[in-house]
Amino acid sequence: MIYIANWKMHGNSRDIESLNPIIKLSKQKKYRNIKLVYCPPYTLLDLMKRKFINSKIHVGAQNCHFNSEYGAFTGSINSKMLKSIGTKYVIIGHSENRTDGDNDLIINKKIKSALQENLKVILCIGETLFEKRKKLTKKILKKQIKNSLYKVKKVENIIFAYEPRWAIGTGIIPKTKTLTKNIIDIKKILISVNKKLNSAKILYGGSVNSQNVKEIVKIKGIDGFLVGGASLNSKKFIDIIKKSIN
Ligand code: 13P
């Protein structure tokens, strides 16, 4: 199982101390085989990486610029810069960035530049509420996956996160039946796009908490979780891990 904490635009240097319990958990025998990744804002990547130095917890960025080279892109950070400070993962195509203008073409360029730097990509996909109501979910997922992976070579370095956009931060999660179907669809689409993706990891994200995780984890094909709000608090994040492992 893979657990990814997405802190979004939260946290400052004082919050680093709050990670002690999760470091402790990561060293327990029972949790030896889980993969833990923290994606803080850029400002905390280096500090967090140092904090995790004697543990197996990795750090990831929440985004990167599509340009692989340095250049005149005020306020941006590219994958080369992320790599240089020991970042292992990068989230690409998050719903909040799609809302801010990221489209499949930009996402495709970001993936290529991240893979070029040997970063592992966490690619977010998911439909809006409008698309869900119009029964377009499968079509949208197919479009997002196909376009994002266009001429991408090292696909085995991509983890997929299914995050229905209407489930993010709303406290609403998909019905078990719907989620089961969507995960099956994603798996089929991935294999149809590239056979190498038959063992790709698929995470679920969107309003995951320690209560609902017990149900979601039972769904076949879900290999972990991408957690927003509940990951800001170590205790809540640990609860999610414990409830889904037991
Ligand atoms: P929430 O867990 O706060 O709904 O956020 C999910 C998310 O966007 C993770 O990337």
Side-chain angles (χ1 to χ4, degrees):
M1 291 290 283
I2 305 171
Y3 297 86
I4 303 178
N6 176 7
W7 274 19
K8 307 192 179 182
M9 199 170 71
H10 294 276
N12 60 41
S13 55
R14 283 193 307 271
D15 298 312
I16 297 296
E17 286 315 302
S18 74
L19 298 166
N20 290 333
I22 191 86
I23 296 174
K24 206 169 147 203
L25 175 119
S26 75
K27 293 182 176 170
Q28 290 173 25
K29 213 170 165 187
K30 183 170 181 192
Y31 302 103
R32 208 174 33 195
N33 292 326
I34 66 170
K35 201 178 272 294
L36 280 165
V37 183
Y38 266 78
C39 301
Y42 294 127
T43 47
L44 293 180
L45 276 171
D46 189 43
L47 210 54
M48 224 183 237
K49 201 196 151 246
R50 288 167 205 263
K51 180 78 182 169
F52 291 144
I53 205 113
N54 289 318
S55 78
K56 287 194 325 193
I57 310 176
H58 291 296
V59 294
Q62 298 171 13
N63 199 357
C64 67
H65 193 269
F66 65 78
N67 203 308
S68 315
E69 297 308 322
Y70 297 135
F73 297 100
T74 304
S76 298
I77 306 277
N78 73 358
S79 44
K80 202 194 282 283
M81 293 161 162
L82 294 176
K83 184 71 185 180
S84 76
I85 58 159
T87 310
K88 280 266 171 14
Y89 291 79
V90 58
I91 296 174
I92 293 178
H94 191 278
S95 162
E96 285 140 22
N97 297 126
R98 289 182 190 260
T99 305
D100 283 346
D102 272 14
N103 56 35
D104 290 345
L105 182 66
I106 294 173
I107 290 167
N108 175 255
K109 285 187 187 171
K110 288 185 176 186
I111 294 174
K112 284 177 180 161
S113 94
L115 293 177
Q116 193 179 315
E117 293 298 331
N118 284 321
L119 294 173
K120 287 197 190 299
V121 169
I122 302 150
L123 174 62
C124 298
I125 50 172
E127 79 287 359
T128 63
L129 189 57
F130 176 81
E131 290 157 350
K132 172 183 156 61
R133 286 189 175 145
K134 291 262 173 216
K135 303 204 184 310
L136 292 171
T137 302
K138 192 173 173 183
K139 202 171 155 197
I140 292 297
L141 293 172
K142 195 169 188 171
K143 183 182 90 53
Q144 289 176 343
I145 294 170
K146 256 180 119 164
N147 294 347
S148 310
L149 298 187
Y150 181 68
K151 291 196 173 170
V152 169
K153 289 202 185 81
K154 290 187 277 183
V155 288
E156 52 282 7
N157 286 338
I158 306 175
I159 294 170
F160 296 83
Y162 173 52
E163 297 206 306
R165 294 171 71 175
W166 49 271
I168 296 174
T170 58
I172 304 166
I173 58 161
K175 292 197 178 87
T176 303
K177 205 175 136 193
T178 315
L179 188 49
T180 306
K181 181 192 177 294
N182 293 350
I183 295 292
I184 293 172
D185 284 346
I186 291 169
K187 240 188 162 58
K188 282 187 191 155
I189 297 165
L190 290 177
I191 296 168
S192 77
V193 168
N194 190 326
K195 283 200 186 65
K196 280 195 247 170
L197 287 170
N198 67 353
S199 54
K201 299 283 181 207
I202 305 173
L203 316 183
Y204 169 78
S207 296
V208 175
N209 61 39
S210 59
Q211 297 304 309
N212 60 29
V213 78
K214 286 181 267 183
E215 273 310 304
I216 311 175
V217 79
K218 289 184 199 154
I219 297 173
K220 210 172 152 244
I222 292 184
D223 303 300
F225 300 95
L226 177 52
V227 186
S231 75
L232 291 169
N233 177 308
S234 268
K235 191 187 166 308
K236 287 186 183 169
F237 195 47
I238 287 173
D239 262 2
I240 289 175
I241 298 168
K242 288 187 170 170
K243 294 273 162 57
S244 54
I245 295 279
N246 286 327

